[in-house]
Amino acid sequence: MNTEKVARRAVPAYDVAGIRQDFPALHQQIHGKPLVYLDNGASAQKPRAVIDAIREFYAHDYANVHRAVHTLGARATQAYESAREKVRRFINARSPAEIIFVRGTTEAINLVAQSYGRSALREGDEIILTQMEHHSNIVPWQLLREQAGIVLRVVPINDDGELMLDELEKLLNRRTRLLTLTHLSNALGTINPVRRIIEMAHALDVPVLLDSAQAVPHLPVDVQALDCDFYAFSGHKLYGPSGVGVLYGKQSLLEAMPPYQGGGEMIRYVTFEKTEYADLPCKFEAGTPNIAGAVGLGAAIDYVNSIGLTAIAAHEHDLLAYATARAAEVTGMRIVGTAREKASILSFELAGVHAHDIGTILDSEGVAIRAGHHCAMPVMRRFGVPATARASFGMYNTRDEIDVLVAALHKAREVIR
Ligand SMILES: Cc1ncc(COP(=O)(O)O)c(C=O)c1O
């Protein structure tokens, strides 16, 4: 990374034009109009630093990790383990042993459900989740319920899309074995008061899993300060590649958990009678991992650090406030998710216009948003809508782009009366 550039970026003025120059995909026309990419909640575009890191790795340093005695194998292992160290520092974990590379948030949660869940939970034990979870933090627990006879309890949300903490208080009890919740809702934009929630759970010795798929690109995080027990996120929403993500777990918990999958890399010794497993983190990384993906994620973390999550969060806060105010000008607009603490996501419906039609009309104007249930059907049901349109902002978006979004929404309003 060019350190001169990094130093220039560290000054308070947020250089959004400079940042945009780093993202090749942003500079294209869609249906003859400049692309306005507002689908960052689904996946973010990649800076040149990430694209180059992956290309360079494949061009010069690629081999399998951990097993080779040759130079390329050593270089690949070094690159892979250095990416793990970058993740450790990024979330302030105590040790690289606590950083497990997985495919993404979905796999991280399934790992905890199948390994921690099946080994530590018994019939009648309870897991608390919330009404605002993504399907990937619902279905793995339902699978566990079928396998182990556990009970799922759901924290409701109020009309603004905030968790009802008094209800959580009532649900926590001596049978609760885990609380699992999203840090930032992908369908509503709500930032949950996770520090307080973790304290409530820990008062009863209940471990907490945070689904931080949405939070990690927008909010600085320190897993030790939060004292969360598990923390899951995906590389692709953090400006890194798809197919790689992270499960953080406290070392004592991970050590007590059985492997999630069996195969190469995760063993120390194998006979037909008995197998000894490798130490952390390899115990949970069976098979050849997504090596280049991890390298790309490391480059994405370097890039995000070069701008600073505090600066990114402030910029996105301004975008959300501006977009919320401007959206109110559109006739028939109803914002779904009006929590006091929100980030980066504007979910809405336009009276009389189906979300998919909004998405299609906006695409013809070059504006990319998401339309649908956002893999959060219980949220849609809670608010009585089949789907919403969702604009989600990233570090490279601008107020001008929000103006284009609002103009396109007026157009959608006119086209469908
Ligand atoms: C809150 C939340 N959790 C989990 C996921 C799943 O992430 P992935 O598909 O990368 O595994 C998403 C993806 O949109 C999400 O928004």
Side-chain angles (χ1 to χ4, degrees), residues 264-292:
E265 306 268 357
M266 51 75 71
I267 52 86
R268 183 178 300 138
Y269 187 74
V270 178
T271 66
F272 283 108
E273 288 69 40
K274 187 174 171 1
T275 290
E276 266 180 42
Y277 307 130
D279 290 334
L280 293 173
C282 296
K283 182 172 84 172
F284 289 108
E285 292 183 3
T288 300
N290 183 351
I291 311 165

Side-chain angles (χ1 to χ4, degrees), residues 2 24 33-34 54 81 93 107-108 116 133 200 208 212 262 312 320 338 374 378 414:
N2 181 331
K33 311 269 169 58
I54 295 171
E81 290 306 323
E107 188 175 41
Y116 174 78
E133 297 313 310
M200 286 166 74
V208 179
S212 281
I312 292 170
L320 181 63
T338 47
H374 315 296
E414 273 166 32

Side-chain angles (χ1 to χ4, degrees), residues 105-239:
T105 310
T106 303
E107 188 175 41
I109 296 172
N110 276 279
L111 191 165
V112 178
Q114 288 302 307
S115 173
Y116 174 78
R118 289 187 84 170
S119 63
L121 272 58
R122 301 282 166 268
E123 195 170 340
D125 284 348
E126 297 183 5
I127 290 183
I128 299 179
L129 40 82
T130 86
Q131 204 174 9
M132 69 170 78
E133 297 313 310
H134 188 279
H135 297 162
S136 63
N137 200 20
I138 300 174
V139 185
W141 308 110
Q142 292 174 326
L143 292 173
L144 180 66
R145 179 170 63 189
E146 283 165 23
Q147 293 156 345
I150 56 146
V151 176
L152 299 181
R153 304 266 182 225
V154 183
V155 185
I157 51 184
N158 66 21
D159 291 344
D160 287 321
E162 293 166 333
L163 284 182
M164 298 169 71
L165 294 191
D166 46 342
E167 296 297 325
L168 168 60
E169 187 90 62
K170 287 184 213 154
L171 290 176
L172 278 164
N173 71 77
R174 294 277 156 212
R175 298 231 66 171
T176 313
R177 295 287 173 269
L178 183 74
L179 168 59
T180 180
L181 80 157
T182 186
H183 192 167
L184 198 169
S185 159
N186 68 313
L188 300 166
T190 310
I191 303 173
N192 285 319
V194 288
R195 191 192 285 259
R196 183 157 160 229
I197 289 172
I198 290 167
E199 276 169 16
M200 286 166 74
H202 283 182
L204 285 179
D205 288 331
V206 173
V208 179
L209 184 158
L210 288 184
D211 167 355
S212 281
Q214 292 294 335
V216 85
H218 306 295
L219 307 171
V221 70
D222 178 333
V223 290
Q224 291 189 65
L226 280 177
D227 199 24
C228 60
D229 301 275
F230 297 107
Y231 185 88
F233 67 94
S234 304
H236 67 98
K237 295 184 204 280
L238 185 61
Y239 309 97

Side-chain angles (χ1 to χ4, degrees), residues 68-115:
V69 290
H70 54 74
T71 302
L72 286 189
R75 274 197 225 151
T77 302
Q78 206 277 331
Y80 183 69
E81 290 306 323
S82 129
R84 195 189 308 277
E85 174 57 21
K86 285 176 189 179
V87 172
R88 185 201 68 72
R89 254 184 278 133
F90 186 61
I91 63 171
N92 194 30
R94 257 182 216 93
S95 153
E98 298 178 315
I99 306 297
I100 315 292
F101 281 125
V102 288
R103 273 194 302 132
T105 310
T106 303
E107 188 175 41
I109 296 172
N110 276 279
L111 191 165
V112 178
Q114 288 302 307
S115 173

